[in-house]
């Protein structure tokens, strides 16, 4: 059972990572929103842009919710420690998604109280803040966060809280760690690139296509600066490793220690993950470069999108697999969360694994419905027809 | 220094969760009810080819869409608040509670999110059949979402299918089907979803009545009423049935909640059900001998019947539950609250001893402590309770909310019955009094649903998980001021969005369907 349990923990870290990777790809919706006034120069163009991302926003939203649910179910100690501790970061992320959820539906409708412009500003806020904040939060997987975990606290009747935060800023301090912020900015510019590629694929409008291709260059340069700096630092930095042979006497858990070049070692010791990362990066770059140089090619979103999923998946696997503490504690290293000390029970992981067999079916019908809707591209004419529009 | 959880933190955390849940439940019922109604209308269009039903369905879909967006927004906050504000809870029972949430995401949310886009944007892009399937799959997805979150909620009311693991210091699932198919979960699912159907029926009939009062869009209104009224009637009859099932489960699993619902302080055999009543504000303590009612009308022996299916059965009151000593339906002598608290403290101390013994490598003490823990675990949560009276939920709120829900439930059956008969006799257009009543029933349908949730959630205080974990031990360690700030942030944001939603709804209704006449 022990080895199956370990396998299931790794399987669920893979699924959570996959959901995280899909979420980053789907942030093209946010990237697109942040470009509303950069690409859309008049009302009809803005309407096309909004209706283009507006037909996909629920996928991003649902993936976020499922990511949260899957994390809760498979690694509940992360859910309780991070959400309950890094309170302000998560609240900010949630708030900016709340704004998004209503803004598409409400912005163009009469009687919406705040006026069209306000809802469009909400969409831009969501477009900027969501990728930056999510990226910054994910940065703590590599750079650590300020928390303590002591399960024995449950027996303290007056103060039975297991996880507590070490700073009064409750997560906001993560934004002041430059490497976290760097990842946030890299994801922000990646989302904008994906947004542009999506517009090029989804909207049959010459001006939007042209402007989007042109905008790709500056976004790509900025993305590469932030992403490569983050990546190089990640590969060179010390990482939070788990020693499978030593039990820490205080926590009773396997010892966590700082290991030089841990994440680089993870890639070397897990060649399939390294290949996934490299294929992903190549996919992203190919999607961008070919789109930029081929005026009529609009398939860039699929290459860059798949590349994004591969890249993020590999980076997240690097954070949790191969005896790595995926949520390191800076306040008390032995409080760090590992796949082993934070996962659900064997029974729960096994039960949920049966449910996960449904995931390919879910992906299949999403693909089918997406294709059916996107067979006809968005154009100016459609924006004037009397049907459900944002 | 011994640290203590600030009670104001617990109160504000509860207030924030309640606020989010109340707002969320303003939008979800309409999604559940209207989703089915619009799918029925589109099915008629699919079968008959009459464009009247297409435009009718499309109009209700507009209303559905406006309502849906804000439901999604509040739902997101609700899901994550389990982590942000109830972190101890998330670890202590995450092994069980998380699974339904994950399944909800994989099975239900994606179905809803995928097909709602086809439903709204696919009219001219996909075939009629695919579109109809998408409309149905949207509401199937929404209903499945409700199923899994209600399974999770039911588990909090009646924890089943788990064992406590002292090594991981949490409850772990041991029987998935005991969680998913517990009688409380099944009843809760049907009762809650059906109450949403009532809201759907009430909104369709109410808004259509407004058109009739304004003498416009008559054919659209009468057509919608025929479907909405029959749907509402079916839903309200089924809600009555599942409501009885829910009350029976409460009697079996949460006797203190039942006592609060009835304002029952002194139990006994052959207890009557309070039909209407006014509580006595002078009653301050459960044992102060003050009559709890200023006035009440009872249905003799009916509480015993509903609680135990026996007119003369014993039903414990609040005093009995606190003082113990009565014989339970299982034949055992009930423990007093104080005895339960002591057993709870024993369990918590045994857990501490067990962990220390394991650390010291003392297996004998570990085994003994484990045995003590297992023996007393059923009362684990009581160990955190300071005072026996802390186990009494707010009586007034629970009592009156229950009556509001039940009385309105009866009213809905009557109204939908009349509306169905009159509309199928083609007389609805002439009955202005009925149109007015239907219009004013819209807020009442929402009120009934909210009252139901107040009974379910306030009535089970102080428990986050019945008998296992009180809210005081479930809360996140935050500063009270942080939670106060987010409470007001959410309050302001949700209220603004609600006003915006209502504004858009009113404009859309005033504009009316694209073309309603055949």
């Amino acid at each position: 059972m022990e080895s199956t349990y370990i396998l299931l923990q790794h399987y669920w870290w893979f699924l959570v990572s996959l959901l995280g990777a899909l979420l980053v790809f789907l942030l093209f919706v946010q990237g697109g929103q942040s470009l509303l006034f950069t690409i859309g120069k008049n009302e009809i163009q803005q309407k096309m842009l909004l209706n283009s991302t507006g037909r996909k926003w629920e996928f991003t939203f649902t993936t976020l919710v499922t990511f949260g649910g899957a994390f809760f179910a498979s690694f509940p100690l992360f859910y309780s420690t991070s959400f309950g501790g890094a309170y302000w970061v998560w609240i900010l992320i949630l708030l900016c998604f709340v704004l998004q959820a209503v803004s598409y539906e409400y912005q163009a409708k009469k009687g919406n109280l705040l006026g069209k412009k306000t809802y469009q500003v909400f969409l831009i806020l969501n477009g900027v803040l969501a990728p930056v904040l999510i990226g910054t939060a994910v940065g703590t997987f590599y750079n650590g966060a300020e928390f303590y975990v002591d399960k024995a606290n449950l027996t303290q009747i007056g103060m039975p809280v297991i996880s507590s935060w070490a700073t009064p800023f409750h997560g906001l301090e993560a934004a002041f760690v430059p490497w976290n912020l760097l990842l946030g900015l890299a994801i922000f510019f990646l989302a904008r690139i994906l947004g542009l590629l999506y517009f090029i694929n989804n909207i049959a409008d010459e001006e939007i296509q042209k402007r989007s291709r042109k905008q790709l260059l500056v976004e790509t340069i900025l993305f590469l600066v932030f992403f490569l700096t983050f990546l190089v630092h990640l590969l060179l930095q010390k990482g939070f490793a788990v020693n499978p042979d030593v039990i820490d006497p205080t926590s009773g858990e396997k010892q966590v220690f700082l290991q030089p070049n841990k994440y680089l070692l993870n890639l070397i010791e897990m060649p399939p993950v390294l290949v996934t990362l490299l294929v992903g990066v190549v996919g992203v770059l190919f999607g961008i470069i070919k789109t930029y140089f081929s005026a009529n090619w609009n398939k860039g979103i699929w290459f860059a999108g798949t590349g994004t999923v591969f890249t993020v998946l590999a980076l997240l696997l690097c954070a949790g697999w191969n005896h790595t503490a995926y949520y390191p504690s800076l306040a008390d290293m032995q409080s760090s969360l590992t796949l082993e000390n934070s996962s659900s029970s064997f029974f729960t992981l096994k039960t949920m694994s049966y449910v996960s067999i449904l995931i390919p079916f879910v992906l299949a019908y999403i693909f089918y419905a997406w294709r059916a809707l996107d067979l006809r591209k968005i154009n100016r004419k459609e924006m004037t027809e009397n049907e459900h529009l944002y | 220094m011994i640290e203590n959880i600030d009670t104001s933190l617990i109160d504000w955390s509860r207030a924030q969760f309640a606020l989010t849940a109340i707002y969320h439940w303003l939008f979800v019922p309409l999604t559940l009810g209207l989703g089915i109604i619009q799918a029925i209308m589109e099915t008629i269009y699919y079968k008959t080819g009459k464009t009247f039903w297409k435009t009718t369905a499309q109009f209700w879909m507009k209303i559905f869409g406006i309502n849906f967006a804000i439901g999604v927004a509040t739902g997101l906050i609700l899901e994550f608040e389990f982590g942000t504000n109830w972190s101890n809870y998330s670890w202590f029972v995450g092994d069980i509670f998380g699974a339904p949430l994950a399944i909800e995401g994989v099975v239900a949310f994606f179905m809803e999110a995928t097909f709602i886009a086809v439903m709204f944007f696919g009219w001219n892009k996909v075939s009629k059949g695919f579109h109809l399937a998408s409309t149905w799959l949207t509401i199937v997805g929404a209903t499945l979402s409700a199923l899994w979150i209600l399974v999770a909620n039911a588990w909090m009311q009646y924890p089943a299918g788990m064992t406590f693991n002292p090594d991981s210091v949490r409850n772990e699932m041991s029987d998935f089907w005991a969680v998913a198919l517990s009688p409380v979960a099944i009843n809760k699912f049907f009762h809650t979803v059906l109450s949403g159907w009532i809201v759907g029926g009430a909104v369709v009939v109410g808004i259509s009545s407004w058109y009739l009062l304004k003498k416009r869009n008559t054919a659209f209104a009468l057509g919608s009423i025929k479907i909405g009224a029959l749907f509402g009637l079916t839903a309200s009859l089924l809600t009555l049935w599942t409501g009885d099932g829910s009350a029976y489960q409460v009697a079996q699993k949460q006797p203190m909640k039942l006592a609060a619902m009835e304002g029952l302080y002194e139990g006994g055999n052959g207890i009557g059900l309070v039909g209407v009543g006014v509580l006595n504000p002078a009653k301050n303590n459960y044992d102060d001998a003050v009559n709890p009612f200023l006035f009440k009308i009872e249905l003799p022996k009916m509480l015993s019947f509903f609680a135990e299916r026996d007119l003369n059965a014993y039903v414990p009151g609040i005093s009995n539950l606190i003082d113990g000593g009565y014989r339970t339906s299982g034949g055992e002598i009930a423990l007093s609250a104080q005895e339960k608290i002591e057993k709870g403290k024993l369990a918590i101390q045994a857990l501490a001893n067990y962990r220390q013994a394991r650390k010291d490598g003392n297996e004998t003490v570990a085994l003994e402590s484990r045995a003590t823990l297992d023996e007393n675990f059923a009362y684990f949560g009581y160990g955190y309770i300071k005072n026996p009276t802390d186990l009494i939920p707010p009586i007034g709120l629970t009592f009156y909310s229950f009556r509001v829900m039940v009385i309105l439930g009866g009213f809905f059956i009557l109204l939908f019955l009349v509306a169905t008969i009159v509309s199928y006799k083609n007389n609805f257009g002439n009955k202005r009094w009925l149109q007015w009543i239907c219009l004013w029933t819209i807020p009442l349908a929402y009120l009934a649903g909210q009252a139901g949730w107040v009974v379910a959630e306030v009535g089970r205080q102080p428990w986050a998980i019945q008998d296992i974990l009180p809210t005081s031990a479930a809360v996140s360690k935050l500063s009270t001021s942080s939670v106060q700030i987010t409470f007001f942030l959410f309050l302001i944001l949700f209220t603004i969005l609600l006003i915006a939603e209502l504004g858009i709804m009113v404009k859309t209704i005033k504009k009316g369907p694209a073309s309603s006449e055949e």
Side-chain angles (χ1 to χ4, degrees), chain A residues 5 12 19 26 51 54-55 57-59 61-70 72-73 75-81 83-85 87-88 90-91 93-95 97-99 101-102 105-107 109-114 119 122 150-165 168 170 249-252 341-349 351-352 355-356 358-359 362 365-366 368-370 372-374 376-378 382 385-390, chain B residues 3-6 16 61-62 65-70 72-74 76-77 79-99 101-103 105-118 120-122 124-126 130 164 167-170 172-176 345 348 351-352 355 359 380 383-384 469 472-473 475-479 481-483 485-486 489-490 493-494 496-497 499-504 507-508 514:
Chain A
Y5 190 21
W12 273 93
L19 277 168
L26 290 164
N51 276 278
R55 291 172 196 192
W57 76 266
E58 287 194 43
F59 288 115
F61 203 92
T62 304
T63 307
L64 174 71
V65 175
T66 307
F67 176 73
F72 190 5
F75 300 100
L77 193 55
F78 171 79
Y79 201 81
S80 61
T81 303
F83 286 80
Y87 188 72
W88 283 112
W90 292 112
I91 291 286
I93 291 175
L94 295 178
L95 277 175
F97 274 93
V98 168
L99 295 181
V102 293
E105 186 67 33
Y106 291 3
Q107 54 99 25
K109 293 220 163 44
K110 285 183 184 160
N112 66 11
L113 186 70
L114 304 173
Y119 289 100
F122 284 169
D150 186 355
K151 291 173 189 167
N153 282 352
L154 198 77
T155 59
Q156 306 297 317
I157 288 176
M159 178 57 76
V161 184
I162 287 167
S163 307
S164 54
W165 210 251
H170 281 285
T250 323
S251 66
N341 71 17
S342 67
S343 84
S344 278
S345 66
F346 174 72
F347 183 85
T348 295
L349 291 184
T351 307
M352 290 197 311
V355 178
S356 73
L358 291 173
I359 290 174
V362 174
Y365 73 64
I366 290 174
Y368 181 72
W370 186 315
L373 273 187
D374 281 2
R376 277 165 51 188
K377 303 295 177 195
I378 287 178
E382 191 187 339
E385 285 169 0
N386 184 21
E387 59 173 75
H388 193 102
L389 285 173
Y390 290 130
Chain B
E3 230 184 332
N4 275 307
I5 284 274
D6 186 352
Q16 179 167 304
M61 280 175 191
K62 261 187 213 168
I66 298 162
N67 174 73
F68 185 81
I70 188 165
V72 169
T74 46
L76 175 79
I77 303 282
E79 181 197 344
F80 283 92
E81 274 181 1
F82 286 114
T84 55
N85 294 85
W86 304 101
S87 72
N88 237 31
Y89 168 94
S90 296
W91 171 248
F92 194 57
V93 296
D95 193 67
I96 306 134
F97 192 84
L101 286 193
I103 297 171
V106 173
V107 177
F109 286 159
F110 276 110
M111 187 185 283
E112 208 176 346
T114 304
F115 292 104
I116 199 171
V118 182
F120 282 133
F121 303 106
N124 301 321
K125 297 192 173 190
V126 299
F130 184 23
F164 181 73
D167 294 309
S168 57
V169 195
R170 65 172 174 194
E172 295 180 352
M173 187 155 55
S174 56
D175 183 350
F176 175 75
K345 288 195 193 307
I348 292 170
L351 173 63
R355 288 184 65 81
K359 214 177 217 177
F380 189 88
Y384 297 104
L469 192 74
S472 60
V475 74
S476 299
K477 193 177 176 184
L478 296 162
S479 66
S481 60
S482 294
V483 184
I485 292 170
T486 49
L489 254 176
F490 290 144
L493 181 65
F494 292 160
I496 289 173
L497 296 180
I499 295 169
E501 190 232 18
L502 290 174
I504 296 170
K507 289 271 180 197
T508 309

Side-chain angles (χ1 to χ4, degrees), chain A residues 8-58:
Chain A
L8 283 173
Q9 286 165 337
H10 283 71
Y11 173 64
W12 273 93
W13 182 254
F14 172 80
L15 287 184
V16 167
S17 301
L18 182 64
L19 277 168
L22 287 169
L23 177 64
V24 175
F25 161 54
L26 290 164
L27 286 177
F28 75 78
V29 171
Q30 273 66 21
Q33 286 166 205
S34 74
L35 290 157
L36 179 62
F37 297 118
T38 313
I39 302 298
K41 293 295 180 194
N42 54 44
E43 201 166 328
I44 187 83
Q45 287 178 354
Q46 287 158 10
K47 201 174 176 70
M48 281 192 279
L49 296 177
L50 284 176
N51 276 278
S52 178
T53 48
R55 291 172 196 192
K56 301 294 183 307
W57 76 266
E58 287 194 43

Side-chain angles (χ1 to χ4, degrees), chain B residues 66-384:
Chain B
I66 298 162
N67 174 73
F68 185 81
I70 188 165
V72 169
T74 46
L76 175 79
I77 303 282
L78 205 54
E79 181 197 344
F80 283 92
E81 274 181 1
F82 286 114
T84 55
N85 294 85
W86 304 101
S87 72
N88 237 31
Y89 168 94
S90 296
W91 171 248
F92 194 57
V93 296
D95 193 67
I96 306 134
F97 192 84
L101 286 193
I103 297 171
E104 184 183 24
V106 173
V107 177
F109 286 159
F110 276 110
M111 187 185 283
E112 208 176 346
T114 304
F115 292 104
I116 199 171
V118 182
M119 183 177 91
F120 282 133
F121 303 106
W123 282 106
N124 301 321
K125 297 192 173 190
V126 299
S127 70
K128 252 169 98 173
F130 184 23
H131 193 276
L132 178 66
S134 300
T135 304
W136 276 107
L137 286 169
T138 302
I139 188 57
V140 168
T143 309
L144 283 175
S145 306
L147 169 70
W148 289 108
I149 192 64
L150 291 170
V151 162
N153 180 276
W155 185 84
M156 294 159 79
Q157 318 269 349
Y158 171 55
M162 91 294 191
T163 47
F164 181 73
N165 181 344
D167 294 309
S168 57
V169 195
R170 65 172 174 194
N171 290 283
E172 295 180 352
M173 187 155 55
S174 56
D175 183 350
F176 175 75
W177 297 112
V179 176
L181 299 178
S182 90
V184 177
I186 292 170
N187 255 295
K188 185 169 269 295
F189 169 68
F190 284 108
H191 192 57
T192 312
V193 169
L194 287 165
S195 76
W197 289 19
I198 293 179
V199 171
V203 166
V204 167
V205 174
I207 293 175
S208 301
S209 293
W210 182 81
Y211 286 120
L212 294 177
L213 288 165
K214 292 279 168 192
K215 300 190 189 316
R216 51 175 283 206
N217 304 93
T218 313
F220 160 82
L222 291 173
S224 296
I225 287 169
K226 277 190 175 169
I227 291 175
L230 185 57
F231 183 74
L233 177 62
T234 313
S236 45
L237 285 170
L238 290 171
T239 305
L240 174 71
W241 178 45
T242 54
D244 169 63
S246 285
Y248 176 73
Q249 294 301 335
V250 167
Q252 302 302 311
K253 316 292 193 302
Q254 297 170 297
M256 183 62 92
K257 187 197 279 186
L258 183 79
M261 283 156 65
E262 283 299 306
L264 179 69
Y265 283 83
E266 296 299 333
N269 293 90
I271 297 284
L273 182 79
V274 179
V276 284
V278 178
L279 292 170
N280 186 351
K283 180 139 188 97
N284 292 318
N285 292 309
Y286 79 96
D287 57 354
D288 62 7
V290 173
N291 186 344
F293 285 94
L294 291 175
F295 153 82
K296 69 174 171 179
I297 299 173
E298 266 190 0
L299 304 169
K301 292 182 183 285
M302 290 316 285
L303 183 62
S304 284
F305 178 75
F306 286 127
E308 298 291 341
R309 306 302 191 223
D310 173 358
L311 288 169
N312 292 312
Y314 180 83
V315 180
I318 292 164
S319 300
N320 314 103
L321 290 162
I322 296 292
D323 296 339
Y326 64 92
R327 197 169 283 280
T328 66
S329 54
E332 297 143 7
I333 301 294
L335 296 178
S336 70
Q338 191 56 48
E339 286 169 317
K340 289 179 182 175
I341 289 171
E342 277 153 23
K343 277 179 170 286
K345 288 195 193 307
L346 260 179
I348 292 170
Q349 189 55 49
L351 173 63
N353 295 345
Y354 171 85
R355 288 184 65 81
Q356 189 58 46
R358 287 298 301 267
K359 214 177 217 177
D360 300 342
N362 189 338
E363 283 307 312
T364 316
V365 175
L367 272 174
E368 281 171 13
S369 304
R370 176 75 198 254
T372 310
L373 174 62
D374 290 346
E375 197 183 315
N376 295 289
F377 185 74
Y379 306 99
F380 189 88
Y382 287 90
Y384 297 104

Side-chain angles (χ1 to χ4, degrees), chain B residues 365-417:
Chain B
V365 175
L367 272 174
E368 281 171 13
S369 304
R370 176 75 198 254
T372 310
L373 174 62
D374 290 346
E375 197 183 315
N376 295 289
F377 185 74
Y379 306 99
F380 189 88
Y382 287 90
Y384 297 104
I385 303 291
K386 289 192 182 112
N387 205 320
T389 50
D390 294 348
L391 293 165
I392 304 172
I395 305 295
L397 192 55
T398 314
F399 174 84
Y400 289 116
S401 299
F402 181 59
R403 263 137 213 93
V404 167
M405 176 185 74
V406 172
I407 291 168
L408 285 175
F411 165 71
F412 297 142
I413 294 176
L414 191 68
L415 179 72
F416 284 126
L417 181 67

